[in-house]
Amino acid sequence: MHLFYTPDVHTDFYVLSEEESKHCTRVLRLGQGDTVYLVDGVGGMYTAIIQEANQKKCQLQVIDKQIEYGKLPHVTHIAVAPTKNMDRMEWFIEKAVEIGVSEITFLLCEHSERRQLRLDRLEKIAVSAMKQSQKGYLPLLNEMTPYHRFVQKSLPEHTFIAHLEDDATKSIKEHYQYGKPHCILIGPEGDFSAGEIDAAYKAGIKPVTLGKSRLRTETAALVACHTLNVLHDIYAPL
């Protein structure tokens, strides 16, 4: 399946961007009459036929559309403090999109070593992962958000915090509710501060453990994402 990200596809006729046109005609070596697929990132999957294999303006005719293609039956939101090394955060985004994630928020915490990020770069990685894994939805990537602001706006009954303190004894499984949205907070390399943990508790957010191992930030975030997806599969009605 040759898949192209086309968020602005609205009609039966579509022209690929110059970059995508070159990829389609020169890299994939597709020509007139070949079938390609377009995804708009919000559940639309389009089947299209190449009408003119132009290297700058490849023209397509849309012949079929599916709605809610690959829609996740659950909402998984990971709120994570970006790592100092952005390669590690980019790795997390790529793998989380492949596994299945609805939303990612980047937290600015007291111990954060990274206080700025290039969201456009991360969005490109998410798009690439969406295409590679043939997903129909592009996760929402939120700008860097101050921790306390995020906590105040969270839904405490469905939001959980993973930290390294001894009082985090229950697993995600013990809190999981099928069909409900879930958000897991993952702290920076230096963990959440005592004040941040206290603020979460006062907001009604409960602690969870991700196991006995001490995990890197990006590993913990991916474990949380994967765990929620596995739990949904386990508890989904037959």
Side-chain angles (χ1 to χ4, degrees), residues 131-229:
K131 291 165 60 178
Q132 189 279 329
S133 55
Q134 298 184 3
K135 294 284 194 296
Y137 287 83
L138 183 66
L140 176 62
L141 301 185
N142 296 314
E143 294 275 7
M144 191 83 85
T145 303
Y147 172 85
H148 289 283
R149 183 192 302 170
F150 183 85
V151 167
Q152 291 170 0
K153 293 184 178 181
S154 66
L155 300 175
E157 66 271 27
H158 302 130
T159 304
F160 305 91
I161 183 170
H163 58 69
L164 301 176
E165 299 299 319
D166 293 337
D167 59 338
T169 58
K170 289 188 176 182
S171 67
I172 295 175
K173 180 181 178 181
E174 293 176 87
H175 291 290
Y176 180 78
Q177 297 181 56
Y178 179 79
K180 300 294 184 180
H182 291 78
C183 176
I184 309 293
L185 276 63
I186 306 293
E189 283 104 325
D191 201 10
F192 293 111
S193 69
E196 288 170 337
I197 294 173
D198 183 60
Y201 290 175
K202 287 181 178 178
I205 298 172
K206 299 179 178 65
V208 292
T209 176
L210 299 178
K212 296 181 179 179
S213 299
R214 188 183 181 97
L215 305 176
R216 288 180 179 271
T217 295
E218 73 278 9
T219 308
L222 191 63
V223 167
C225 178
H226 180 258
T227 299
L228 288 171
N229 276 273

Side-chain angles (χ1 to χ4, degrees), residues 41 76-78 97 101-106 119 123 126 137-143:
T76 296
H77 183 178
I78 303 296
V97 173
V101 65
S102 310
E103 185 173 359
I104 298 173
T105 296
F106 301 101
L119 199 62
E123 287 174 342
Y137 287 83
L138 183 66
L140 176 62
L141 301 185
N142 296 314
E143 294 275 7

Side-chain angles (χ1 to χ4, degrees), residues 5 12 16 31-32 44 65 67 72 84 87 93 97 111 118 130 135 146 149-150 154 166 176 181 192 221 228:
Y5 176 50
D12 294 339
L16 292 176
Q32 184 176 357
K65 176 185 177 181
I67 60 173
L72 290 173
K84 183 178 181 180
D87 288 346
I93 291 170
V97 173
H111 296 160
R118 283 185 54 193
M130 176 188 68
K135 294 284 194 296
R149 183 192 302 170
F150 183 85
S154 66
D166 293 337
Y176 180 78
F192 293 111
L228 288 171

